[in-house]
Amino acid sequence: MYRPLIEGANWALSGLLSILGFSGCESESAATEYGVPYATFTFHGRVTNRAGEPVPDIKIEVNGDEIPVPALTNVAGYYSTQFGHFPVEDFQVIAADIDGAANGSYRNDTLQVKVGPEDYYQKGSGNWDNGSAAKEVNFVLKEKE
């Protein structure tokens, strides 16, 4: 006697749960996204010696070898490098003399650089793209003794 009642209740509950379950999946506000947040960073500046003269052929790296876009200073001592990276605030910018004594011998230098909200010049899409930031980082290198 209870068996038909229980079977009917099971059918009714499973049908109701199926309808509620599928209707919960149809949300237009939740987009499926894959990947990680990123931002585009540009570091630029000038490398000079203590006399204020430009130093060419200095390799500029950001965060060591993590970012594979090193830059070289030109004859006027200017450099620029751009890359996409997880949006963090703290970077290390490294200037390394790689040409030996060709343009003078200089000590390598490392600067800690903070990229804040004020450095973002372009807003991202609001999803994974956080936008674009630029930071000027200048070096005054000391000669090797």
Side-chain angles (χ1 to χ4, degrees):
M1 174 171 155
Y2 293 110
R3 184 175 174 101
L5 183 62
I6 292 173
E7 286 179 359
N10 283 342
W11 277 100
L13 285 174
S14 64
L16 181 63
L17 290 174
S18 297
I19 292 170
L20 292 175
F22 285 117
S23 68
C25 294
E26 295 179 17
S27 172
E28 292 181 20
S29 62
T32 302
E33 295 186 37
Y34 299 98
V36 295
Y38 71 94
T40 301
F41 295 96
T42 302
F43 287 90
H44 60 92
R46 190 168 189 221
V47 179
T48 59
N49 59 20
R50 289 198 270 183
E53 299 166 337
V55 183
D57 298 324
I58 298 293
K59 182 169 87 171
I60 304 296
E61 290 182 330
V62 180
N63 288 354
D65 291 330
E66 285 182 35
I67 310 233
V69 187
L72 283 178
T73 57
N74 62 18
V75 294
Y78 290 100
Y79 74 91
S80 181
T81 183
Q82 185 176 55
F83 54 89
H85 192 271
F86 186 80
V88 295
E89 293 182 350
D90 298 315
F91 290 93
Q92 279 189 336
V93 182
I94 303 159
D97 186 1
I98 60 169
D99 69 348
N103 295 305
S105 294
Y106 296 93
R107 295 185 199 167
N108 296 345
D109 196 6
T110 301
L111 297 176
Q112 302 296 327
V113 178
K114 188 172 218 54
V115 177
E118 67 278 1
D119 298 311
Y120 280 82
Y121 61 90
Q122 184 176 16
K123 186 176 180 180
S125 65
N127 295 326
W128 289 115
D129 180 10
N130 284 18
S132 300
K135 191 74 173 185
E136 182 175 353
V137 182
N138 298 311
F139 287 90
V140 178
L141 296 183
K142 297 177 184 172
E143 292 185 2
K144 287 183 180 176
E145 297 174 0

